[in-house]
Amino acid sequence: LWGYMNPDPDFPQEFPLMPIPEYDVVSFDLDARRWTNELPDAMAKEWSRRLPPGYVPRPYAGITSGSERSVMRNTSNEPNAVPRPDLNMPFDQVALRPQSNTLYYFTGGLTASYDVARRRWSDLRPVHTPPPVTGGSLAYDPLHDEFILFGGGHVAEPGPNGRPRGYTGTWAFSVAQNDWRPLRLAVEPPPRMVTRLVTDTKRNLLILFGGDGQSHFLADTWIFDLASRTWRQSKAPTGPPPRAGHFTVFDAATGLVFAGGGNNRTDLTDLWAYDPAADTWRAANGTVPTGFYLTADLDTQRHAIVLLTNNRPPNDPLDCNLLFPVRTPYPFPPAESSLFSAAPATHPEAMPKRPPVSPRAGTNLLANLPANQWVPLLNPGRNAPSRTWGGATFDSTGERILYWGGGHCGYEGSDVDYYDVNTHTWISEPTPPSYPERLWNHGVRPAGVTFRGEPWMDHGRRIYAYDPVANRMILVKGILLTTGYDPAWIRSFQKSSFQPPDALVTPQSGQHRWATWNYDLKTRKWNIIAPAPPGLDTLLSTPLGVMAVRVYWRGRDNDSGYHLPFRPSDPPEDHGLYLFRNNRWDRLDAAPGPGRPTPQNLYELTSLAFDTKRNQVILHGGGLKRNELWTFDLATKQWANRKPSGPMPGASREAVYLPGPDVFLTYGNGSLTEYNPSTNAWRKLAIPVPATRAGQNSAMVYDAKRDLILLVLGLGGNDGQAS
């Protein structure tokens, strides 16, 4: 078993080069029932005393996403030390070549082999390589001495309609030629992740069942004929319920493929057997242990399935995690005499990850509202999930709140929820949203785009805004790509130039290319319509269209994700103010320089609003204490530090401009504070704010038609509801 996860909360949780309590490669002795470090022979003596540190690209709790670049690296100081690959999450992108007793891996864009007997890694360095998919499956083809790769996602491949898509097709790796090639096939299974492709060595077939289709859990069965190199779908009328994260093994003694466990909307414990000769599924006796993700193989000597799960350690303080580091092996002997059960047959239909909800209108509560008082809008016709660290934007044409985002311990669907002000209800997407596979990215980063070409969710903050000129929503987001992976369609988009000063590796294992997304409010579909300046992550709806400031708050972090200090003596950063028109970003201000002061030390709580009376942008949250207030005049094209009087509030992401009373209003830290441009003064309001613990899961928008402020609070924690 190769890979590493950190079960000790005292170890650094977000630092790439870390001490590890065991070696990267371990083996489990089925007789002695214990795990053993598989130390390389050349270093066994030295490393048995003290292990070298492990390199985990962009880790969280000792795990990484699989989309980070893996390279062969020597992390010890010994001159004769053997290199090993950066740790990554390979899922089932590994298979054994029996005649050489060698494991072949494809992970993080790296094609590598591991000699089991010699305990030695090799970087195979093929000339051609598949996109760096994660969550796919690799199987050995004994007929051609090749490996077949299918499935996986978190890439950004060009699709036939010109839109990107987050998957690739079927690939083959030739051992003799040491190279990859795509198999141009007329028929292929729908894209999926976290399922196992297994080899039926009796019939020279590859068998594939189920998987995570991102928007659905799948239940279809596909067969790849190694002789003809063609896919066909099984015609079995019944089969297992839909699932992902399950195990699949081929048993040559019975000629059956066993699959079981895994999850859909719940953990599953059932066991099934597929007969490729008869093209039939039958339920089998036995209960499969649950775990985040199951992997298994067949012990031919004992004629037993050996299953491995990952379970939660005792007293685990990381309540955000769903992937745990305690490995637990289980044996299961598939005895033929009592194998099959009388379980009722099921029809293999895909299951949407988010159960459909029929929309209905709530009671309109907006008539005769009291002035200057928050009123809870209770019992909507449909509830929506809270979007973690979420902003929102107001569609003034359709009279509705647009609500997107999430991630990292909260809701992770790619969809946009509408709150319709007139009917007091949340309206969901007409199609099921896409999610990362079982939210394994709690703390790690989704890459590329979804299978359907949508943006992966992210903390919404203020990275999107309604465009009243074109009646659409605009979102700017960096698309994470594995270093070294540059699809031609996005190659002209700018990369992030920031490199943390303490970065241990240059370049880093992942990179962002910045894209502008259009969300069509009629078709409710996403499209990438233009590049974007790197770091343009704080957007604002204005009568002129969408404006944005290049806050690029991640540029204020070090390599471990912790905040860098700011000194006024530092060279000024170029944040920049832009307007999106004619499907391009035009800069409105000049770069900082002598006589051209601009806001500095901006971070994720920087707030923006547009003063319609003076045709100016108001920015709050710069300076040493992040409490400065700046304005940008569109006529003079100048920034000005207003230095208002009164009690200066700390930075708060949520702010609106109210034309009636002519104030810039901020919400945060349990209070409302207003800035009056006419008097250039702050004033703390005595209006009580809702007593909640929503934290950063809050968003504030302004409905000019009703002169109404709407506040969306994510209550009940990260998995709560929008209220």
Side-chain angles (χ1 to χ4, degrees):
L1 181 71
W2 172 71
Y4 171 71
M5 290 172 52
N6 181 5
D8 188 341
D10 293 330
F11 279 148
Q13 295 301 311
E14 295 180 339
F15 204 71
L17 194 62
M18 66 171 81
I20 54 177
E22 67 179 16
Y23 189 57
D24 308 359
V25 186
V26 293
S27 63
F28 185 77
D29 188 308
L30 287 161
D31 293 320
R33 301 196 173 207
R34 67 168 179 261
W35 291 99
T36 305
N37 285 329
E38 290 288 292
L39 298 174
D41 293 336
M43 303 305 300
K45 184 176 180 180
E46 291 86 346
W47 288 358
S48 62
R49 292 193 295 262
R50 183 179 181 181
L51 288 171
Y55 191 83
V56 191
R58 297 301 301 177
Y60 177 83
I63 62 175
T64 191
S65 67
S67 300
E68 309 293 338
R69 180 70 186 179
S70 285
V71 299
M72 210 70 75
R73 191 184 311 277
N74 179 7
T75 60
S76 68
N77 295 320
E78 293 93 339
N80 299 319
V82 295
R84 63 201 206 273
D86 297 337
L87 290 166
N88 218 331
M89 189 184 288
F91 288 94
D92 276 308
Q93 291 175 193
V94 53
L96 178 73
R97 183 173 181 255
Q99 58 266 46
S100 61
N101 198 24
T102 304
L103 290 163
Y104 283 73
Y105 284 85
F106 179 70
T107 182
L110 171 76
T111 304
S113 65
Y114 179 74
D115 187 313
V116 177
R118 297 173 61 220
R119 301 182 181 181
R120 193 170 187 91
W121 288 95
S122 298
D123 184 350
L124 299 179
R125 300 179 181 273
V127 175
H128 306 96
T129 184
V133 291
T134 186
S137 184
L138 198 67
Y140 182 60
D141 171 4
L143 203 60
H144 302 90
D145 192 22
E146 295 187 340
F147 290 88
I148 302 297
L149 173 71
F150 181 78
H154 295 275
V155 292
E157 288 294 283
N161 56 3
R163 300 178 67 239
R165 61 188 188 184
Y167 64 96
T168 184
T170 309
W171 287 71
F173 177 79
S174 167
V175 175
Q177 298 177 8
N178 190 41
D179 206 6
W180 288 97
R181 70 185 186 281
L183 301 181
R184 311 293 185 185
L185 306 175
V187 175
E188 290 187 296
R192 65 199 63 209
M193 306 180 70
V194 199
T195 185
R196 183 62 167 160
L197 188 65
V198 296
T199 307
D200 175 350
T201 52
K202 277 192 168 184
R203 304 170 187 89
N204 285 324
L205 304 173
L206 301 183
I207 310 299
L208 179 74
F209 163 69
D212 186 328
Q214 295 185 350
S215 63
H216 289 73
F217 295 104
L218 304 177
D220 50 346
T221 303
W222 287 77
I223 300 97
F224 184 74
D225 189 305
L226 293 174
S228 63
R229 292 290 174 96
T230 56
W231 284 102
R232 70 177 185 272
Q233 187 172 3
S234 163
K235 297 181 180 179
T238 61
R243 70 194 64 208
H246 52 287
F247 79 85
T248 312
V249 298
F250 174 71
D251 177 14
T254 61
L256 299 175
V257 174
F258 290 93
N263 68 280
N264 43 46
R265 294 182 198 149
T266 186
D267 287 326
L268 302 171
T269 61
D270 54 343
L271 180 68
W272 291 74
Y274 175 69
D275 185 342
D279 192 20
T280 56
W281 281 99
R282 294 179 68 183
N285 289 309
T287 300
V288 178
T290 61
F292 167 85
Y293 172 69
L294 306 181
T295 186
D297 209 338
L298 195 83
D299 177 0
T300 54
Q301 290 183 339
R302 296 170 179 80
H303 193 219
I305 298 170
V306 180
L307 175 72
L308 190 68
T309 70
N310 292 78
N311 302 110
R312 188 168 194 156
N315 304 316
D316 182 6
L318 299 172
D319 58 359
C320 178
N321 285 4
L322 289 180
L323 181 55
F324 305 118
V326 178
R327 297 184 301 264
T328 310
Y330 299 86
F332 175 80
E336 293 182 65
S337 59
S338 59
L339 180 60
F340 297 109
S341 75
T346 63
H347 297 279
E349 295 181 357
M351 175 191 294
K353 288 191 172 181
R354 182 170 176 175
V357 178
S358 300
R360 65 182 189 278
T363 303
N364 194 315
L365 304 174
L366 301 182
N368 302 316
L369 288 176
N372 292 339
Q373 179 179 326
W374 290 109
V375 176
L377 302 180
L378 303 175
N379 303 315
R382 170 188 167 263
N383 288 305
S386 170
R387 307 299 182 121
T388 53
W389 289 75
T393 189
F394 191 73
D395 170 3
S396 54
T397 303
E399 298 179 37
R400 53 202 175 183
I401 298 172
L402 308 178
Y403 195 44
W404 178 87
H408 194 140
C409 308
Y411 182 76
E412 307 204 45
S414 63
D415 54 324
V416 177
D417 270 311
Y418 290 7
Y419 174 77
D420 188 285
V421 177
N422 292 304
T423 59
H424 180 43
T425 193
W426 288 95
I427 301 172
S428 62
E429 297 274 19
T431 56
S434 296
Y435 299 74
E437 55 290 348
R438 207 171 190 192
L439 314 187
W440 57 258
N441 66 310
H442 276 194
V444 293
R445 306 181 295 173
V449 297
T450 71
F451 286 161
R452 295 188 301 221
E454 304 158 332
W456 284 113
M457 51 67 239
D458 202 347
H459 291 330
R461 294 183 170 91
R462 287 290 182 183
I463 68 174
Y464 61 99
Y466 174 68
D467 179 0
V469 175
N471 188 29
R472 59 185 175 178
M473 190 173 88
I474 297 297
L475 179 145
V476 173
K477 190 173 184 293
I479 299 176
L480 176 64
L481 301 173
T482 306
T483 297
Y485 171 58
D486 257 341
W489 71 270
I490 201 174
R491 206 166 289 159
S492 63
F493 289 36
Q494 285 184 275
K495 292 182 185 178
S496 298
S497 58
F498 173 73
Q499 186 77 24
D502 61 343
L504 298 180
V505 174
T506 304
Q508 290 184 300
S509 54
Q511 64 193 16
H512 286 93
R513 288 201 182 267
W514 288 80
T516 306
W517 298 76
N518 169 75
Y519 180 74
D520 190 306
L521 298 176
K522 293 181 179 178
T523 64
R524 304 195 72 170
K525 293 186 181 299
W526 291 96
N527 281 293
I528 295 176
I529 54 174
L536 204 67
D537 55 11
T538 305
L539 275 61
L540 171 65
S541 180
T542 81
L544 304 176
V546 171
M547 294 184 184
V549 170
R550 187 183 179 271
V551 170
Y552 197 18
W553 60 268
R554 288 183 176 88
R556 300 297 309 165
D557 293 341
N558 66 11
D559 196 28
S560 302
Y562 299 105
H563 197 192
L564 295 166
F566 168 76
R567 302 175 184 84
S569 59
D570 292 342
E573 295 181 353
D574 187 4
H575 289 294
L577 175 68
Y578 295 81
L579 172 64
F580 192 66
R581 53 190 169 190
N582 301 321
N583 282 353
R584 73 179 191 211
W585 290 99
D586 294 327
R587 183 158 184 165
L588 301 177
D589 64 343
R596 295 193 304 273
T598 62
Q600 295 296 304
N601 197 27
L602 305 182
Y603 201 53
E604 56 187 318
L605 294 181
T606 299
S607 60
L608 298 175
F610 191 77
D611 178 350
T612 52
K613 187 169 290 188
R614 296 167 188 81
N615 214 29
Q616 66 178 5
V617 174
I618 301 176
L619 180 149
H620 177 232
L624 182 62
K625 297 182 179 180
R626 293 212 170 96
N627 57 7
E628 292 179 354
L629 187 135
W630 291 69
T631 59
F632 180 81
D633 188 304
L634 267 69
T636 63
K637 308 291 186 184
Q638 296 289 324
W639 284 103
N641 185 353
R642 290 300 174 186
K643 301 179 180 179
S645 61
M648 291 186 293
S652 174
R653 188 187 65 232
E654 301 306 313
V656 294
Y657 173 75
L658 309 176
D662 186 25
V663 295
F664 169 85
L665 185 71
T666 69
Y667 166 83
N669 304 313
S671 64
L672 289 169
T673 310
E674 67 177 26
Y675 166 73
N676 189 317
S678 297
T679 61
N680 194 32
W682 284 107
R683 182 168 70 103
K684 190 170 182 178
L685 302 182
I687 299 171
V689 299
T692 71
R693 299 186 65 182
Q696 295 300 328
N697 301 346
S698 58
M700 188 167 68
V701 299
Y702 177 60
D703 178 355
K705 178 179 177 180
R706 295 175 179 81
D707 195 23
L708 184 71
I709 300 170
L710 294 163
L711 183 65
V712 183
L713 300 174
L715 303 182
N718 289 331
D719 292 319
Q721 294 180 336
S723 302

